[in-house]
Amino acid sequence: MRNRFKNPLRRMNIKQQMILLFLVLVIPLFALNAYGNSMAGQILKSHVTNAYIELNKQNFKLINRDIETVNKVTSTVIQNSQIQQLDTFAESTVLERVKNYERLEKMLLSFSQETDEREPVYYSLYVYDPDNNYFFAPYYPDRRKAGVYFFSDEQEKPAWFDEAVAMKGNGYLKRMANLSPPVQGRQDEETLSYVRAVNNIYKGGTIGVLVVTNLDARIGESLSTVSIPDGELYFTDWNDNILTSSVKDKAGKLELPPEANPGHSTIGVMDVITSDFIYVIDYNYVIQQKLVYKVPVKTLLAQQSEMKRVIQVISIAYFAVGLIIIFYFWQSLMTPLQKLAHFVRRYEPGNVVPETPYRRRKDEVSVLISTIYDMARRLNDLIHYKYDMDLKQKEAQLQLLYQQINPHLLYNTLESIYWKSTMEGNTESAEMIKDLSKLMKISLSRGRDLITLGEELEHAGAYMNLQLNRYDYQFTIKWDVPESLLTNHVPKIMLQPLLENAIIHGIKNMGEDGTIQISGHQEHDCCRIVIEDNGFRPVNYESIRRLLHDEAPDPSLGYGIRNIQERIRLHFGSRYGLQYEPREEGGTRVTITIPRTEPTTITTIGQEVS
C-alpha cells in the first residue's frame, strides 16, 4: 500500500494547535525585530535621506517658481512704454515729468501688492539722472517700499548699480546690506533682492536698474513649509554664499563638506552623509542657486534608539497579553461562538429552532446566544403571522372591493320585466331595463375579478345609456378603442366610477356642448385607456394625487378612484394605476395604465352616441 503522509497536527488538540499557531506568528516577529534593530540605523538614514531628497526637489521647484514669477514681472515692467520712454521726458516740462513720475510710482506699487495674503515683494527702479531732471523725486529707498529713485552723482549711486549694469539685463539674486549709500542717522536692513538692469529696447544703453526687495520673506515662506527636527535649511548662490536660511541672522558663506562639490554636474540633487550631519543639496548652475538641507544625525539616531526601546517593550507585552487572550477567547468565547455561527449558517427563516444552549451562563456571550435564538423564534412567529395576515388582508381587500354582487334573482326578474315591457310596447322603459340588466350581469360576471376590456366597455356603455335616459342629459360620448385591445383583461367595474365623475364634475349642465371621449392604445407592454371630458370647472389635481398615492388619504376627498387604484395595483403591481392631468383644450384627462395581456393587431373602431 502506498504510504500516506500523516499530518503531525492531527495528533495535537485544538488548544495545542492554537498555541503552535501563536508561536509561529510571534517568533518571526522577535527575529525580525532583532534584525531590524541592527539595520535600523542604516535604513533610517537611507529612508530619511530619500525622503528629504524628494522634499528638497519640491521645495527647490517652489522657490524657483517664485523667482521665475518675479523674473516675468520684471520683464513686464521693463517692457512698459512709460519706462522705455523715460529718456524722452528729459526735454518735457516739469509738470509732465512730475506726472510721469507719479504714473511710474503707481505702476510699481500695483506690481508690489499681493492678492493671496502672501508676504509682498517690492519693485523699485533706480535711474541715473546726471542732469537732475527729476530733482523733485524723493530719494529714501526702503526694502519694504516700492518706488522710483533718481540719483545725479556718484555719492548717491548705490554700490551694486554698476555691477547690475555689467550683467547686461540678466537678473540675479543678491543679498544687500543697504539699498543706497549709508546716510548718517538712518539704519538700513539687509534684504535678499532680485536685481536686473533695464536696457533701452529702441536706442540701446541702460535706463536704470530694477530691484525687487523683500525676497527673503517670500522664500522664507517656502522654507517654513518644511519641518526638519533640529535641522537647518539654506538657500545659497553657486559659491555657497547664504542668500536666506531658516536660521535667524545667519549670513556669510555656508561650510559644506568636500564631498558636496557637484563637480562638472550642472543640475541635480546629491546627498552627503557624514558622522555628524546629512546634507541634501539641490543645485542648478544655470541660475547659480542651491538649496541645502542640513540634518543632524544625532537627532535621528536618538529618535531611532527610543523607537527601538518602545518596539521591544511592545513586542514583549504583545507576546504576554496575546498568550493570555488566546486561551481565554478559546475557552470562553470561541467554542460558544463557533456553535452559534454553525446555527446561524444553517438556519433558514421558518425552520424549527432548537433549544437554546448555554442558558446557565450569565455573561454577554450567553446573552448574545439566547437573544439570537429568541430572535430566530420571534422571526419564525413573525413570518407565519405576516404570511397569514397578508393572505387575510388580500382576501379581505378583494372581498371588500368586489362585494357589490346582487342576487341572481334580481337579474332574472329584470329580464322578465324587459320582455314584458317590450311586448306591451314600452320600448324606452324596456331599453333602460335592458341596460340595467347588463350592469347586473357584468357586475356578477360569474364571480370573476378580471373581465375583458370588451365586457367592461359594454358595462360602461350600458351605464352611459342609463344616464342619458334617466336624467335626460344632452352630451356626446365618443368611443375610440382598438379592437385588438378588447380581449385585454381589466378589473371589472373600472370605467363606471370614472365616467360618473366626468359627468358630475365635468360636463354636467353644459348641454349639447359637453363631450366625453373614451379611447385606448397600446404602448410597449402596457395598455392605456384614456377618459377625457371638456368640462370647465376647476379641478384640484394635487388633492387627487394625494388621494391616489398617500398611504392615509383624507376620507373627505372620496374613495371611488382610490378604490380603482388599489384594485389595479392589487392585481397588476405598483407600476400601474391612474393618472389625472388637465387637457390643453380644457377639461380633465384620466389615463388608466394596465399590462397588455395578449399580442395585438391594432385596428380602430369608432362609435358615437348622442
Side-chain angles (χ1 to χ4, degrees):
M1 294 180 63
R2 182 180 300 176
N3 293 329
R4 295 182 178 180
F5 173 75
K6 295 182 179 180
N7 187 355
L9 295 178
R10 293 182 178 179
R11 299 180 180 180
M12 305 171 62
N13 57 35
I14 299 299
K15 294 181 180 179
Q16 293 171 340
Q17 292 183 21
M18 291 295 294
I19 294 174
L20 178 61
L21 177 61
F22 179 73
L23 294 177
V24 169
L25 295 175
V26 169
I27 291 176
L29 176 66
F30 281 96
L32 291 174
N33 184 32
Y35 176 76
N37 287 335
S38 64
M39 299 295 294
Q42 298 178 9
I43 296 174
L44 182 62
K45 289 180 183 179
S46 176
H47 286 182
V48 169
T49 301
N50 292 335
Y52 282 137
I53 286 176
E54 294 301 322
L55 185 62
N56 191 298
K57 288 180 181 178
Q58 299 300 323
N59 202 190
F60 198 43
K61 288 180 181 178
L62 186 63
I63 293 173
N64 287 335
R65 186 189 65 182
D66 290 337
I67 297 174
E68 181 62 25
T69 300
V70 171
N71 183 58
K72 290 180 180 179
V73 174
T74 57
S75 299
T76 302
V77 174
I78 290 173
Q79 296 173 10
N80 186 274
S81 58
Q82 297 178 15
I83 292 180
Q84 288 296 322
Q85 297 174 8
L86 190 63
D87 293 342
T88 62
F89 281 91
E91 300 176 358
S92 61
T93 64
V94 174
L95 180 59
E96 291 176 343
R97 292 196 296 271
V98 170
K99 290 182 178 179
N100 184 52
Y101 167 75
E102 291 177 348
R103 287 194 294 269
L104 292 175
E105 283 272 334
K106 290 180 180 178
M107 180 191 68
L108 294 176
L109 182 61
S110 67
F111 283 114
S112 302
Q113 294 177 350
E114 292 290 337
T115 59
D116 55 358
E117 299 183 358
R118 299 184 65 189
E119 183 74 19
V121 294
Y122 303 93
Y123 294 81
S124 300
L125 179 63
Y126 293 81
V127 181
Y128 180 50
D129 183 20
D131 298 329
N132 202 19
N133 292 320
Y134 290 85
F135 60 89
F136 51 82
Y139 188 68
Y140 301 106
D142 191 319
R143 76 183 186 94
R144 293 183 176 272
K145 184 173 181 291
V148 185
Y149 304 101
F150 299 89
F151 58 91
S152 57
D153 52 35
E154 294 293 331
Q155 294 181 353
E156 295 181 345
K157 180 191 293 185
W160 41 264
F161 189 87
D162 292 335
E163 177 186 358
V165 173
M167 296 295 292
K168 298 180 179 180
N170 294 321
Y172 63 97
L173 291 174
K174 181 178 180 62
R175 189 161 193 85
M176 297 181 179
N178 45 59
L179 299 175
S180 63
V183 177
Q184 185 176 3
R186 188 184 70 204
Q187 183 178 1
D188 293 326
E189 297 181 2
E190 278 195 342
T191 179
L192 177 62
S193 304
Y194 183 83
V195 185
R196 186 175 181 181
V198 181
N199 295 327
N200 194 312
I201 301 174
Y202 307 102
K203 300 179 181 180
T206 301
I207 297 175
V209 176
L210 187 63
V211 180
V212 185
T213 58
N214 204 37
L215 274 176
D216 44 358
R218 173 62 62 85
I219 297 176
E221 290 179 357
S222 299
L223 296 180
S224 64
T225 60
V226 180
S227 177
I228 300 178
D230 297 331
E232 301 172 359
L233 284 72
Y234 296 94
F235 184 59
T236 71
D237 60 13
W238 190 256
N239 297 321
D240 300 331
N241 295 313
I242 299 175
L243 298 176
T244 186
S245 70
S246 62
V247 182
K248 189 176 181 180
D249 300 329
K250 185 75 172 182
K253 189 169 184 178
L254 178 62
E255 296 295 334
L256 296 175
E259 299 89 340
N261 187 357
H264 297 290
S265 178
T266 57
I267 299 176
V269 182
M270 62 184 304
D271 62 277
V272 177
I273 302 177
T274 65
S275 58
D276 297 324
F277 297 97
I278 296 176
Y279 296 89
V280 179
I281 306 169
D282 196 336
Y283 56 89
N284 190 323
Y285 179 77
V286 178
I287 59 177
Q288 296 285 298
Q289 294 167 9
K290 295 180 182 179
L291 180 61
V292 182
Y293 287 2
K294 185 179 179 181
V295 184
V297 175
K298 182 179 179 181
T299 303
L300 294 179
L301 294 180
Q303 295 177 352
Q304 185 259 345
S305 299
E306 182 65 25
M307 190 179 301
K308 284 182 181 180
R309 289 192 294 270
V310 172
I311 292 175
Q312 290 174 353
V313 172
I314 292 176
S315 299
I316 295 173
Y318 170 78
F319 178 80
V321 173
L323 191 60
I324 295 173
I325 290 177
I326 196 171
F327 279 105
Y328 170 77
F329 271 89
W330 180 257
Q331 290 290 339
S332 182
L333 301 177
M334 292 302 297
T335 300
L337 290 179
Q338 284 179 344
K339 293 183 178 180
L340 179 61
H342 176 70
F343 165 73
V344 172
R345 281 195 296 266
R346 65 182 179 85
Y347 168 72
E348 294 183 2
N351 289 351
V352 178
V353 179
E355 183 181 355
T356 304
Y358 302 102
R359 284 186 175 274
R360 297 180 180 179
R361 294 177 53 169
K362 302 298 181 182
D363 58 6
E364 292 79 3
V365 176
S366 177
V367 173
L368 177 63
I369 294 174
S370 300
T371 302
I372 291 178
Y373 273 76
D374 292 341
M375 287 175 61
R377 294 189 183 94
R378 289 196 298 270
L379 181 59
N380 285 350
D381 295 339
L382 181 62
I383 289 173
H384 293 305
Y385 175 77
K386 182 69 167 55
Y387 179 74
D388 294 338
M389 290 302 297
D390 285 345
L391 289 178
K392 292 179 180 179
Q393 182 181 9
K394 288 193 175 183
E395 290 175 359
Q397 287 177 338
L398 291 175
Q399 290 298 326
L400 178 64
L401 295 174
Y402 295 131
Q403 207 168 36
Q404 300 178 2
I405 301 175
N406 293 300
H408 287 273
L409 178 62
L410 179 58
Y411 168 69
N412 295 331
T413 302
L414 288 174
E415 285 289 320
S416 300
I417 295 174
Y418 164 72
W419 288 111
K420 185 176 182 181
S421 297
T422 302
M423 294 176 64
E424 293 176 353
N426 296 326
T427 306
E428 185 175 352
S429 299
E431 290 299 324
M432 293 181 65
I433 293 172
K434 182 179 180 180
D435 289 332
L436 181 58
S437 176
K438 287 182 180 180
L439 289 179
M440 295 297 301
K441 180 180 179 181
I442 295 175
S443 297
L444 292 173
S445 62
R446 298 178 182 178
R448 292 177 296 161
D449 296 334
L450 297 176
I451 61 177
T452 64
L453 180 57
E455 293 174 317
E456 179 65 15
L457 289 174
E458 183 181 358
H459 178 274
Y463 170 77
M464 296 302 287
N465 288 332
L466 282 175
Q467 292 295 324
L468 287 170
N469 293 322
R470 180 184 178 189
Y471 295 107
D472 198 21
Y473 288 156
Q474 298 296 322
F475 58 85
T476 301
I477 307 171
K478 296 181 179 180
W479 306 84
D480 186 13
V481 180
E483 186 176 358
S484 57
L485 297 181
L486 298 181
T487 58
N488 203 89
H489 288 90
V490 299
K492 66 181 179 182
I493 316 178
M494 177 182 68
L495 298 179
Q496 180 264 325
L498 303 178
L499 293 172
E500 182 178 0
N501 287 340
I503 295 173
I504 296 174
H505 303 292
I507 63 171
K508 187 177 182 180
N509 301 325
M510 289 181 63
E512 295 180 354
D513 295 331
T515 301
I516 297 177
Q517 180 171 341
I518 300 96
S519 59
H521 64 277
Q522 181 178 350
E523 186 174 313
H524 302 298
D525 59 345
C526 294
C527 174
R528 300 193 188 275
I529 304 168
V530 182
I531 300 175
E532 301 176 276
D533 66 73
N534 61 345
F536 60 89
R537 298 181 181 179
V539 178
N540 189 341
Y541 293 100
E542 178 61 26
S543 298
I544 296 177
R545 187 196 65 77
R546 292 198 302 270
L547 178 63
L548 292 176
H549 299 288
D550 287 0
E551 293 184 2
D554 186 358
S556 64
L557 299 176
Y559 195 73
I561 62 174
R562 174 79 175 192
N563 183 296
I564 299 172
Q565 176 88 334
E566 291 182 350
R567 285 196 287 138
I568 292 175
R569 292 191 170 184
L570 280 172
H571 284 295
F572 305 123
S574 59
R575 61 174 291 197
Y576 304 101
L578 304 181
Q579 180 181 357
Y580 272 80
E581 59 185 350
R583 297 174 71 244
E584 296 180 356
E585 305 86 353
T588 301
R589 177 187 296 113
V590 56
T591 303
I592 307 171
T593 303
I594 57 177
R596 183 73 176 99
T597 57
E598 291 182 4
T600 61
T601 303
I602 299 178
T603 57
T604 304
I605 62 172
Q607 180 183 5
E608 183 172 307
V609 180
S610 299

